[in-house]
Amino acid sequence: QGLKPIVSTESPALVFGTTTKLASDLPATDSFLGKNKVPDLQKLFQKADGLPVHLKRGVPDKLLYRTTMALTIGGTIYCLVALYMASQPRNQ
């Protein structure tokens, strides 16, 4: 009778029935990518106008910056008040 092979010599069944697509088979991507905005943004962010990078795009950046700073300061004050109240002994 002899030894039988442990590993099957048959190829395994396909997990997925479809094959992969080649890059040449895919549709052109120009229609949904649009214009490359990187050169325009590089000109904007590298301009020497004295503004920090996080404020270069104008009003939306200023609004986000000021909102973040207000929430940070408000959260710090809230934490300090909570710590102060937690440190006081309770009256029984």
Side-chain angles (χ1 to χ4, degrees):
Q1 292 191 339
L3 298 173
K4 294 181 180 178
I6 296 174
V7 179
S8 173
T9 58
E10 297 176 9
S11 62
L14 287 175
V15 176
F16 300 104
T18 60
T19 59
T20 58
K21 292 183 180 181
L22 299 175
S24 60
D25 296 339
L26 295 176
T29 57
D30 294 337
S31 61
F32 62 88
L33 284 180
K35 183 180 176 248
N36 186 7
K37 298 178 185 177
V38 173
D40 299 332
L41 292 175
Q42 283 177 337
K43 288 178 188 174
L44 174 71
F45 286 116
Q46 292 176 356
K47 189 181 352 174
D49 55 1
L51 286 174
V53 173
H54 59 274
L55 296 177
K56 291 254 185 187
R57 293 185 85 182
V59 175
D61 282 349
K62 289 179 183 176
L63 183 67
L64 284 171
Y65 177 74
R66 289 181 180 161
T67 303
T68 303
M69 291 306 294
L71 288 171
T72 302
I73 292 169
T76 302
I77 292 171
Y78 179 78
C79 287
L80 291 174
V81 169
L83 282 172
Y84 175 76
M85 292 180 71
S87 67
Q88 300 300 315
R90 292 184 181 222
N91 294 333
Q92 295 182 358

